[in-house]
Amino acid sequence: MITAGDPPVRIRKSRLDWLDAQSRGWHQAGIIDESTRERILSGYAAESAERRAMAVLVLIAILLGSVGLLLLIGYNWDAIPRGAKLALLMGSVAAAFTASAVAYGKGREAAGETLAFAGTLLFGLSIFLVAQVLHIQGRDPDAFLWWGIGVFACAALVRSRAIAVEASLIFLLWVFVEGTFAEHTAFTFVLLWPLALLVGYRLESPWTVGVAAFAAGLAAFFNGIALSHSSLFLGTVALTGCAVYAAGRLHRDGTMMRLAWETSGLAILLIVSIPLMITQVHQELSAYTAGAAGIVVAVVAGGVALAGGSWRSRSATDQVVLAAAAAVCVWIALTAPGFVPAGSASARAATVLFSVLTLAIGVGLIRTALTSDRPTDLAYGVLFALVFLIVRWVSVLANLLWSGLILVAAAGGLLLIARLWRGRATAGVAGRVS
Amino acid sequence: MISKPLGSSAGALGAAVVCLSILFGMLVGHAWPLWFGRTILLPAAAASSRGSMHGDYVNVTTPAMTLVVRADGTGGSATSAAVRPVGPWWNDPSLPPVQKTGRMRGTLLYVQLEPSDGGDYRPVTVSRQPVPGAVNLRGVIRRTPQPDTLSVEYGLDAFYMKQGKPEAVAAAFRAKRRVQLEVAVASSGRARIRSLLIDGVPVSK
């Protein structure tokens, strides 16, 4: 935004040329007069080509120099004594943060944050190399856990959103690595997850919150499979997706935090919908039963989410996600205790149920996108519809007739959505002009 | 730059203190057995040369890493160790084998070692708690390839060496020479490799 008295904002020359051409067109169309055009243009100036070129050259030099230095250290790594290696590792971390502190002290905040960011990367590198120095394979999940804890603390102390996003990505990685290693992440996850969210909220970082919210789905997956191989396993993941989506409703409409929760919830639902639309998966799940406690907790949690969300639900997406939560609760209550006999008929019925739900979520999202002008919902709606189509297409891959019909229908559906979206956008513009 | 920064010098120094404290804690935790542990020898059941982003290393296995758990203590081989379970944890009849596999993965256990006639230490029993007076090796169950067999990790499977050196150890093992791990075991059961021995002589790193 430009304000009277401020120096001109530096933008790329191509962008300034575009603004010049556009404003000329507005002037010729009588939308603005010449003095207004000149006032608009005076608020901007083209970036100096030399300055940009110099910045790029310095950046490349720093990058090449850093890689070269790391390679030189790597080349001599074996010859460096153990104590010197440890001193080098810890010294590099200390140096990066000290340089960051100096930069902050001089008011060069961007440099301070960049150096602190580099410090967190060196910290991670040091964690892994300490194990190497001491001849241990190390337990990778623990390395990611401590790296994540340290980086979250750094994000909170330096008050950097970039470092907070880095920390949440490491946290997500930890859930994955720990899950594949031992499957028992529940206790540590319950301790760390609120802290991750706290840092995300304190720094007003939707990306941090979104990634941490998505980690809940991943944790539900690994802990669910450790708890039971029955329908409770994937059902818990689906309910987590619904709960994460519902958590978005605690925020005001249109805020980035709400979008972060909703997007993560939908991402979890999208991923878990793939196995839930496959009959063989349901046959596998139906071979197992779950303990009463787990089923009661899952169904009650789903019921509470359902009751809490239904009072305030407004959009078509909200309605279909709540419907999905209700359907998953019923499905768990019927199949996990073994009330429904295992067999191909029940597996097929579950496949149909979740296929319909996936398609309904897709349609609900597209409808919300069209009525509320939300591109994210449109993207997710199309993704849900495509996932439904691909999974169903794979099941009839050998049949050329059905394959052809499905693909033609998909193409037609996408063109129709594109037309509706364009029509909605045109109507919106017309409405705003009038 | 990356995002709108809000930090301060004190914050950056605080971050340094946190990161260095974690690193120092890990360093002490890892090095503790090497400083204060009891040194024992474990026979190598296999040795192969590996490389990773961390560097080149010898991947060593010892029979204690594959435990055949039976009440009569039979079933061991050159690459696995037969051990007796201590306590009632092993024979829980309420768990079917598949469920047991899922639940035991990641479980902490202690393997009790005793010296053999050859001078190295062999596993004799396995328990969920350290046995007082015994040399307890602390490990984590990675998987159960058979209902009575546990694959256990102790953090002893990598010995980092200079580029090309691990292959010499692997070659010595293939040539049927005696390869042993010199291991430091702390009173907590945590263990770290001190060195590798070929025919009783420590290899240079």
Side-chain angles (χ1 to χ4, degrees):
Chain A
M1 177 174 285
I2 55 169
T3 315
D6 283 353
V9 176
R10 299 269 170 194
I11 58 173
R12 285 183 193 167
K13 187 174 182 304
S14 58
R15 194 168 284 185
L16 189 64
D17 290 344
W18 175 87
L19 185 64
D20 184 49
Q22 287 290 310
S23 61
R24 190 176 298 121
W26 299 335
H27 171 53
Q28 285 167 358
I31 299 171
I32 56 172
D33 56 29
E34 184 58 29
S35 65
T36 308
R37 178 172 175 261
E38 282 174 6
R39 278 174 57 206
I40 292 171
L41 289 176
S42 68
Y44 300 93
E47 283 177 345
S48 154
E50 298 89 73
R51 189 185 165 92
R52 281 180 60 203
M54 202 174 77
V56 170
L57 284 174
V58 169
L59 198 68
I60 293 171
I62 290 172
L63 191 69
L64 290 175
S66 307
V67 173
L69 193 65
L70 285 174
L71 288 175
L72 283 173
I73 293 171
Y75 179 74
N76 293 297
W77 188 249
D78 293 329
I80 300 172
R82 181 188 286 184
K85 283 179 186 172
L86 294 172
L88 194 64
L89 292 173
M90 297 184 87
S92 65
V93 175
F97 282 110
T98 306
S100 166
V102 170
Y104 275 123
K106 289 184 175 176
R108 301 169 84 170
E109 297 197 328
E113 186 182 23
T114 307
L115 285 163
F117 190 88
T120 59
L121 295 179
L122 286 167
F123 170 56
L125 181 74
S126 301
I127 286 177
F128 286 95
L129 286 180
V130 160
Q132 188 245 40
V133 171
L134 295 170
H135 297 298
I136 49 174
Q137 185 64 35
R139 191 174 177 275
D140 284 346
D142 289 349
F144 283 109
L145 175 67
W146 286 108
W147 187 18
I149 289 172
V151 177
F152 265 122
C154 290
L157 287 163
V158 180
R159 297 193 60 72
S160 161
R161 292 190 194 113
I163 296 176
V165 174
E166 180 202 359
S168 61
L169 287 171
I170 297 167
F171 180 59
L172 183 69
L173 206 56
W174 166 72
V175 174
F176 179 77
V177 177
E178 182 70 80
T180 53
F181 190 86
E183 297 173 357
H184 301 156
T185 59
F187 182 68
T188 320
F189 183 84
V190 167
L191 280 177
L192 288 181
W193 195 61
L195 292 175
L197 292 177
L198 183 69
V199 172
Y201 276 98
R202 285 287 298 269
L203 297 176
E204 297 171 8
S205 168
W207 278 97
T208 306
V209 171
V211 174
F214 182 76
L218 199 61
F221 176 85
F222 286 116
N223 288 291
I225 200 167
L227 193 68
S228 167
H229 289 59
S230 70
S231 59
L232 189 65
F233 154 47
L234 290 179
T236 308
V237 182
L239 282 177
T240 305
C242 294
V244 166
Y245 178 88
R249 301 194 57 80
L250 300 170
H251 304 75
R252 275 188 293 112
D253 198 9
T255 57
M256 288 300 286
M257 283 297 181
R258 176 164 177 156
L259 187 67
W261 282 101
E262 288 181 348
T263 306
S264 297
L266 289 172
I268 296 166
L269 280 173
L270 182 71
I271 294 166
V272 78
S273 69
I274 296 170
L276 287 173
M277 282 192 288
I278 299 171
T279 309
Q280 288 91 327
V281 171
H282 287 286
Q283 284 172 339
E284 289 278 330
L285 295 175
S286 64
Y288 297 92
T289 56
I295 296 167
V296 169
V297 168
V299 172
V300 168
V304 169
L306 196 64
S310 62
W311 290 104
R312 305 180 343 155
S313 63
R314 292 190 191 98
S315 72
T317 310
D318 296 347
Q319 300 289 354
V320 288
V321 170
L322 287 169
V328 172
C329 284
V330 172
W331 175 61
I332 291 174
L334 288 176
T335 55
F339 292 149
V340 176
S344 56
S346 58
R348 243 182 259 123
T351 307
V352 171
L353 168 74
F354 285 104
S355 298
V356 169
L357 275 175
T358 305
L359 191 58
I361 293 174
V363 171
L365 281 160
I366 292 167
R367 202 175 150 202
T368 308
L370 292 172
T371 54
S372 308
D373 195 17
R374 293 173 62 162
T376 313
D377 281 13
L378 181 74
Y380 264 104
V382 171
L383 273 175
F384 269 94
L386 283 177
V387 162
F388 167 80
L389 276 166
I390 290 167
V391 173
R392 293 279 60 88
W393 178 39
V394 167
S395 65
V396 292
L397 201 56
N399 189 321
L400 285 181
L401 174 64
W402 275 107
S403 293
L405 286 173
I406 283 177
L407 290 179
V408 168
L414 286 173
L415 286 174
L416 179 67
I417 293 165
R419 187 177 168 76
L420 288 169
W421 181 252
R422 186 164 170 265
R424 196 251 157 263
T426 310
V429 170
R432 282 195 289 275
V433 168
S434 67
Chain B
M1 187 56 205
I2 298 168
S3 66
K4 189 184 175 187
L6 304 158
S8 64
S9 296
L13 290 175
V17 170
V18 170
C19 290
L20 291 174
S21 301
I22 290 174
L23 273 179
F24 186 72
M26 293 184 88
L27 183 63
V28 171
H30 287 320
W32 193 266
L34 294 171
W35 293 338
F36 301 106
R38 172 178 180 173
T39 301
I40 61 167
L41 292 176
L42 294 175
S48 57
S49 166
R50 301 272 173 91
S52 74
M53 282 184 75
H54 298 199
D56 287 5
Y57 65 92
V58 187
N59 180 243
V60 205
T61 63
T62 177
M65 291 174 185
T66 308
L67 300 175
V68 181
V69 188
R70 291 181 188 165
D72 57 5
T74 60
S77 67
T79 55
S80 64
V83 289
R84 286 175 283 106
V86 176
W89 64 280
W90 179 252
N91 295 312
D92 186 346
S94 66
L95 297 174
V98 175
Q99 296 274 11
K100 184 186 263 187
T101 303
R103 283 167 198 270
M104 291 189 69
R105 196 173 162 204
T107 302
L108 193 69
L109 51 72
Y110 294 86
V111 175
Q112 289 74 47
L113 306 167
E114 284 183 4
S116 67
D117 297 338
D120 46 21
Y121 278 67
R122 305 273 173 166
V124 284
T125 53
V126 60
S127 62
R128 292 294 308 278
Q129 303 293 333
V131 173
V135 178
N136 292 283
L137 192 59
R138 186 178 185 267
V140 174
I141 299 175
R142 288 292 291 127
R143 55 194 179 87
T144 45
Q146 301 288 330
D148 64 351
T149 307
L150 301 176
S151 177
V152 185
E153 192 169 278
Y154 305 97
L156 295 175
D157 43 1
F159 186 75
Y160 288 89
M161 302 178 80
K162 282 183 188 170
Q163 208 167 20
K165 289 249 180 181
E167 184 48 37
V169 179
F173 184 82
R174 286 195 297 272
K176 309 283 183 197
R177 293 172 70 185
R178 191 183 190 196
V179 179
Q180 292 170 302
L181 295 93
E182 190 181 48
V183 170
V185 186
S187 56
S188 65
R190 289 178 190 273
R192 297 286 177 258
I193 301 178
R194 271 196 204 285
S195 65
L196 285 183
L197 308 180
I198 297 177
D199 295 330
V201 179
V203 295
S204 66
K205 294 173 216 162

